Amino acid sequence: MNALKSVVVFNLVTLFCSAVFAEGSREVMPTLTSKGQLCFNRSRNLFGLYGASPEFRLHVTIADASEKIRFGFGKVLGDNGQDLVFRIKDPAGNIVRPEAAVPTSGPGFISSYNQALAGPLPAAGGYDYLEIQNLTKGDYYFEFNYSGPINDANRRYLEFFDISVVTPGDKVINGRVWSKAWQFWSGSDGYSTYDKFYGKLMILSDDSIVTQVDCNGFRGGSFSFSSNKTGCDNTGSTVDDRKSRSGFSTYPQYKVFLNDPDSILFPTQKAASGLAGPVLLRTNCDGSVAFSIRVEKDCVIKLFIDVNPNPGADPEDVQIIANLLAHPGGDGYNKLTWDGNDNLGRPVFNGKPLTFAVT
């Protein structure tokens, strides 16, 4: 091989700010015909339900005592009645709003998509809200509950929802509502899985990088949304953890927001390559190639070798996933070896120009 080119690949997401007056259905249902109801299904997980672990709670973060939480819900949908109740707890786990039925009219009831869009501002066409105040700094959370057997058919959906943090001047502050394991329903009243989810969600990694995920018409039916560093699990086997699998495999690690996280409470930074210097390589007489990579911190990398020059990933292209250490010892380089074969097991001819990318 006579031409190996190193390309560092990473994504920077440009976030556009606009005037937003609500946090909830506005973000996950961008149009009137969109689907994206909040879903509670205890047979799958305890997202938003009584007794949920912190990873599955529906959080709203408060900065100081001057702020209030205003909220409302739409019609309760589901297979077995209208028995959904809720309560709110403070950061210490104390109940600050006792259990009550989800409203079906009056304050706290969102009767239309336009009301959900306008938020807790009745004069601007929004809904008549419920409110809690005299709050302390920290993460409050909503809990819901319903009756009946624990099976996949017994679940509940909220046609609309809104949870807004409001300042004394009735200004809604974006980027305060989050969970590590959202659960949505993107079907219709007839429980069709052919309806599409167009929500956009913001992932805040543990090293303060925000990534926007545009679901772009995903057909999910009833589905969970979570994000993490490794995959379906964190066993230490990078290849196995990243494999798709059937069954319940939600591994929530990162906070997922409905809007760009409020930078006052959740400071963010721009993504860097993470590489500490150029990637070195050495070709061997047996046709293999040794890659030497230094990284700024412990991480998972993907080494992509573009064997087929056509755009995108092709069957011949090679992908190596590996855990790298910031301080592996020796000369500080992590060593990876490619055997010189394409992904189909065929030798790559000597002298063939190739490019590779480290992500």
Side-chain angles (χ1 to χ4, degrees):
M1 290 176 290
N2 60 8
L4 279 161
K5 179 182 178 182
S6 174
V7 182
V8 177
V9 179
F10 59 99
N11 294 322
L12 290 178
V13 178
T14 302
L15 305 177
F16 298 94
C17 296
S18 60
V20 176
F21 304 106
E23 283 211 276
S25 295
R26 182 185 182 102
E27 286 72 29
V28 298
M29 299 173 62
T31 67
L32 177 61
T33 58
S34 299
K35 302 298 179 181
Q37 282 76 31
L38 210 58
C39 175
F40 307 106
N41 185 344
R42 67 162 63 91
S43 72
R44 296 191 178 189
N45 59 59
L46 292 180
F47 164 72
L49 293 171
Y50 283 19
S53 62
E55 293 81 6
F56 289 88
R57 291 173 183 165
L58 177 53
H59 295 273
V60 53
T61 301
I62 294 298
D64 59 61
S66 69
E67 297 176 347
K68 299 169 283 188
I69 300 174
R70 291 179 178 173
F71 59 95
F73 310 111
K75 183 169 60 176
V76 178
L77 307 173
D79 296 325
N80 294 303
Q82 305 286 315
D83 57 348
L84 192 64
V85 297
F86 76 98
R87 65 189 182 191
I88 303 175
K89 289 186 175 180
D90 68 11
N94 302 308
I95 298 174
V96 292
R97 187 176 183 91
E99 180 181 292
V102 171
T104 57
S105 63
F109 180 65
I110 304 175
S111 62
S112 69
Y113 176 76
N114 286 336
Q115 282 191 346
L117 206 67
L121 302 170
Y127 64 94
D128 188 5
Y129 53 84
L130 294 172
E131 180 180 272
I132 60 171
Q133 50 187 315
N134 300 320
L135 309 176
T136 59
K137 182 178 180 179
D139 299 327
Y140 287 72
Y141 55 100
F142 284 71
E143 289 187 322
F144 295 82
N145 195 29
Y146 61 93
S147 61
I150 299 177
N151 59 52
D152 195 53
N154 188 30
R155 49 193 174 184
R156 303 290 182 274
Y157 317 101
L158 288 174
E159 184 179 25
F160 307 113
F161 75 102
D162 174 62
I163 302 171
S164 295
V165 177
V166 181
T167 66
D170 283 353
K171 177 184 177 182
V172 175
I173 306 173
N174 300 331
R176 297 291 191 87
V177 180
W178 59 274
S179 178
K180 292 186 176 182
W182 289 94
Q183 192 157 256
F184 297 106
W185 169 249
S186 61
S188 64
D189 290 343
Y191 303 101
S192 165
T193 59
Y194 293 100
D195 293 299
K196 298 178 180 181
F197 181 75
Y198 286 95
K200 295 180 181 180
L201 300 168
M202 306 289 189
I203 299 169
L204 177 65
S205 68
D206 290 345
D207 55 355
S208 301
I209 303 298
V210 177
T211 304
Q212 183 191 78
V213 177
D214 184 349
C215 292
N216 194 32
F218 167 71
R219 292 179 175 178
S222 177
F223 68 95
S224 296
F225 187 104
S226 61
S227 178
N228 60 66
K229 179 180 178 180
T230 58
C232 290
D233 211 332
N234 188 18
T235 65
S237 173
T238 305
V239 174
D240 288 340
D241 289 345
R242 290 168 64 97
K243 290 179 179 177
S244 298
R245 62 186 70 172
S246 61
F248 177 69
S249 299
T250 302
Y251 164 37
Q253 180 184 359
Y254 299 147
K255 295 180 177 70
V256 180
F257 290 76
L258 300 179
N259 282 294
D260 194 13
D262 181 5
S263 60
I264 302 299
L265 294 177
F266 307 99
T268 56
Q269 57 185 336
K270 293 184 178 180
S273 70
L275 296 179
V279 177
L280 307 179
L281 54 105
R282 183 187 73 251
T283 56
N284 300 316
C285 294
D286 62 359
S288 65
V289 178
F291 292 86
S292 297
I293 305 174
R294 296 180 68 178
V295 293
E296 296 174 348
K297 58 184 177 180
D298 296 353
C299 63
V300 179
I301 66 107
K302 177 175 71 176
L303 173 62
F304 180 82
I305 302 171
D306 195 4
V307 178
N308 186 328
N310 291 329
D314 301 289
E316 301 89 345
D317 297 336
V318 175
Q319 179 174 283
I320 300 173
I321 307 294
N323 286 302
L324 300 191
L325 300 176
H327 304 288
D331 60 3
Y333 284 94
N334 296 268
K335 313 293 184 181
L336 298 178
T337 301
W338 171 47
D339 61 9
N341 296 328
D342 67 16
N343 192 50
L344 302 177
R346 303 173 303 196
V348 177
F349 295 117
N350 185 41
K352 178 180 174 62
L354 297 173
T355 60
F356 69 89
V358 177
T359 306

